[in-house]
């Protein structure tokens, strides 16, 4: 079986900021490029195998590779199903703790719009530790990969489809916020879509407690540095660029990112993607109200929702319950203004 060239889907924000992966946040999740389907018989000779929780899985092919983690497509020896095996390199104790946190975040949530975890373990290989996360294989790929295809065809996503997908994203985010957590790195490449367009929030490695009280300049700088490493720059909330010495950072950072995702679904690129690509200051750009192009052909109600979400001042930003209520209202009355589908 020919192995295609796959695009990264899990590189961290620090790679984007140091120039090593300028386009990482804008690349598609490449799982949908795998030339196999669930349940399809594969003929691969001499496949390597791994065992997790006393279950054997056969290596199929590599899906992705980045600076600190890589992903393989594997097939269950007994069930014949395909899985994505994410392997995180743990260089030190802190790295191991971060991987442990990601595993725990997956286990906390049992929600149809949050990617589940099938199994996990730590493996020592050549004196180094790897965290293995066995995840469901979602063949269609990421929201970003779907938007890329639409852009290539010169099409747009219908308003009906936008609302359907966006509602699922909001539902997953609501489950996180209700348990007191924030995703902190919500973006189109971190949203998978199944064959029914059900969104699944993934890459929970940046998640932490939703409410963080900042007490002093040192704590502010610590959080600011953390955000620079873990929160993708063009989807990062304004309050994370210059953290005040005495403030509270809460789950409304996700609401800002959610607005960026909605904008991307409407315009096929994030509101600050071009700012970042040009090398201009995203930190400065996010201080101004988001501009919706006049060419945007979606309903006034959807545009108003977008503007309401993307408020630079977090105190003026709504919570996820309000956003979800608005989306549900729009679904009940919004016309399907665009009919071009994927």
């Amino acid at each position: 079986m020919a192995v295609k060239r796959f695009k990264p889907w899990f590189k961290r924000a620090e790679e984007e900021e140091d120039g090593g992966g300028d386009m990482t946040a804008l690349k598609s999740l490449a799982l949908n490029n795998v030339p196999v389907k669930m349940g399809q018989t594969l003929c691969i000779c001499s496949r390597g195998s791994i065992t997790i929780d006393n279950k054997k899985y056969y290596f199929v092919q590599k899906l992705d590779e980045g600076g600190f983690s890589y992903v393989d497509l594997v097939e269950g020896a007994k069930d014949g199903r395909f899985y994505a095996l994410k392997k995180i390199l743990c260089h030190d104790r802190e790295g191991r703790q971060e991987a442990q946190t990601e595993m725990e975040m997956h286990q906390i949530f049992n929600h149809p719009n949050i990617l589940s975890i099938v199994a996990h373990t730590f493996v020592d290989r050549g004196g180094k530790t790897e965290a293995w996360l066995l995840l469901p294989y979602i063949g269609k790929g990421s929201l970003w990969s779907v938007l890329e295809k639409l852009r290539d065809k010169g099409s747009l996503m219908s308003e009906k489809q936008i609302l359907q997908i966006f509602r699922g994203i909001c539902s997953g985010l609501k489950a996180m916020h209700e348990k007191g957590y924030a995703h902190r790195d919500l973006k189109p490449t971190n949203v998978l879509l199944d064959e029914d367009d059900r969104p699944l929030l993934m890459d929970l490695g940046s998640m932490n407690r939703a409410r963080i009280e900042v007490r002093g300049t040192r704590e502010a700088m610590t959080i600011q540095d953390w955000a620079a490493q873990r929160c993708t720059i063009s989807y990062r909330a304004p309050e994370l660029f210059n953290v005040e010495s005495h403030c509270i950072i809460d789950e409304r950072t996700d609401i800002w990112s959610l607005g960026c995702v909605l904008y991307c679904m409407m315009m096929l690129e994030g509101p600050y993607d071009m700012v970042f690509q040009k090398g201009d200051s995203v930190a400065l750009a996010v201080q101004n109200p988001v501009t919706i192009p006049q060419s945007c052909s979606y309903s006034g109600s959807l545009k108003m929702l977008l503007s309401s979400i993307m408020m630079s001042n977090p105190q003026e930003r709504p919570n996820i319950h309000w956003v979800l209520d608005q989306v549900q209202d729009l679904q009940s009355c919004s016309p399907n203004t665009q009919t071009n589908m994927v």
Side-chain angles (χ1 to χ4, degrees), residues 44-194:
I44 300 178
C45 301
S46 302
R47 287 189 291 172
S49 66
I50 60 161
T51 301
I52 304 178
D53 288 349
N54 297 319
K55 294 182 180 179
K56 182 181 288 188
Y57 300 88
Y58 293 113
F59 172 81
V60 178
Q61 66 183 65
K62 187 175 294 295
L63 294 177
D64 261 324
E65 187 169 359
F68 299 102
S69 56
Y70 53 103
V71 180
D72 293 333
L73 179 68
V74 298
E75 180 184 12
K78 287 189 175 181
D79 60 16
R81 296 176 65 86
F82 293 110
Y83 300 91
L85 179 64
K86 181 177 180 179
K87 299 179 180 180
I88 305 172
L89 305 178
C90 305
H91 295 289
D92 50 29
R93 183 178 297 179
E94 182 180 354
R96 183 185 176 99
Q97 182 56 53
E98 289 177 355
Q100 180 68 40
T101 298
E102 183 169 353
M103 294 174 175
E104 292 172 355
M105 290 298 102
H106 276 287
Q107 291 177 299
I108 285 175
F109 302 101
N110 180 18
H111 191 276
N113 297 115
I114 301 176
L115 189 67
S116 59
I117 188 169
V118 179
H120 60 85
T121 189
F122 283 97
V123 177
D124 291 321
R125 303 178 69 183
K128 296 183 179 180
T129 300
E130 291 183 353
W132 288 8
L133 285 71
L134 189 67
L135 305 165
Y137 166 65
I138 308 299
K140 190 170 183 176
S142 72
L143 172 59
W144 176 251
S145 66
V146 170
L147 298 176
E148 273 191 319
K149 291 176 183 177
L150 285 171
R151 189 173 63 238
D152 291 344
K153 294 192 301 182
S155 301
L156 289 173
M157 188 175 283
S158 72
E159 184 158 322
K160 179 179 180 181
Q161 189 181 19
I162 287 176
L163 290 172
Q164 175 190 343
I165 295 172
F166 193 64
R167 180 175 178 174
I169 296 172
C170 291
S171 182
L173 209 55
K174 176 173 173 282
M176 293 179 178
H177 291 182
E178 286 182 340
K179 285 187 177 292
Y181 291 94
H183 188 285
R184 305 289 192 216
D185 197 26
L186 182 64
K187 55 185 176 180
T189 51
N190 281 344
V191 178
L192 293 173
L193 293 179
D194 70 9

